[in-house]
Amino acid sequence: MAVTGADVVEWDRIAVREAVRVVDLARDEDWERETPCAGWDLRRLVAHMAAQHHGFAAAARGAGREAAHWREPDDMREPGRVHRVAAAAVLDAFGEPGAQEREFVLPELGGGFPGRTAISFHFVDYVVHAWDVAAALGVEVHLADDVLGAALAVARLVPTDPARRGPGFAFAPALEVPKGAGALEEALRLLGRAPEQWSGTAR
């Protein structure tokens, strides 16, 4: 499946909104739950998600080099609210005229990228992070087959070089994909997630 610029903005919007939905399912007692992101509880994962939203929003507006935009929020007493605000910010930025044609500077990925490519990175990240939150909470993500197919297409393009996978990087080493795996499971495994350890959340 080809991931075009026009499509990826809408797919990203769908993935971000689904991430907002699942984060908003969390109750006060859920924020200390373990997540598929090793060493991160749900509060820390959502802080990371909010930081990435703000960082990508800044990158869409030419300010991606500024480290302050990528820092995790200091106040995470209301994680759901913090995440909703951040999600709205990135969706607004990606929706601006010309965003896809601008260069996005993404320091964690080593430099500048065409806007539509950068948005595709954000898109697949939020399909995966929506699943991460859902897995921690024991619920399912609800994403249409075309969205999952597009996420898989992007996941297949992510380099598997062991030197750029693991602690300190965006994704863990890729895992073997079993025959007959669905699009979500394949994407997750390519990006280092083991959905069988979080029963009922991948389809």
Side-chain angles (χ1 to χ4, degrees):
M1 174 182 291
V3 181
T4 68
D7 291 334
V8 77
V9 172
E10 180 58 23
W11 286 330
D12 181 79
R13 184 178 299 276
I14 291 167
V16 170
R17 286 177 171 170
E18 178 62 4
V20 169
R21 183 188 72 82
V22 292
V23 168
D24 282 349
L25 295 175
R27 300 163 296 183
D28 288 347
E29 61 268 27
D30 291 326
W31 297 112
E32 311 311 315
R33 284 176 177 257
E34 293 183 358
T35 74
C37 300
W40 286 2
D41 64 14
L42 186 57
R43 190 186 307 274
R44 175 67 194 283
L45 170 59
V46 173
H48 166 78
M49 291 165 67
Q52 290 290 303
H53 286 324
H54 284 302
F56 270 85
R61 293 171 173 146
R65 291 182 177 83
E66 299 174 23
H69 296 301
W70 299 91
R71 292 188 187 124
E72 293 180 8
D74 293 328
D75 186 351
M76 286 296 294
R77 289 175 294 180
E78 298 180 72
R81 180 190 61 78
V82 170
H83 180 251
R84 283 192 300 275
V85 170
V90 78
L91 293 182
D92 285 348
F94 286 179
E96 291 176 356
Q100 297 173 50
E101 287 72 45
R102 298 175 196 147
E103 182 185 59
F104 285 37
V105 175
L106 307 176
E108 292 180 358
L109 297 180
F113 298 87
R116 60 175 52 88
T117 300
I119 293 170
S120 76
F121 296 161
H122 187 265
F123 160 57
V124 75
D125 210 23
Y126 281 84
V127 169
V128 173
H129 282 327
W131 178 84
D132 288 332
V133 175
L137 295 174
V139 300
E140 290 188 356
V141 289
H142 300 300
L143 293 167
D145 289 344
D146 62 335
V147 177
L148 295 176
L152 176 56
V154 177
R156 286 172 171 166
L157 298 176
V158 175
T160 58
D161 178 2
R164 297 190 62 81
R165 293 289 191 107
F169 293 99
F171 300 113
L175 303 176
E176 183 178 352
V177 178
K179 186 176 180 180
L184 177 57
E185 181 181 0
E186 182 174 346
L188 291 170
R189 295 185 72 82
L190 289 174
L191 299 175
R193 303 300 199 270
E196 69 276 7
Q197 297 178 6
W198 304 84
S199 178
T201 58
R203 58 181 175 83

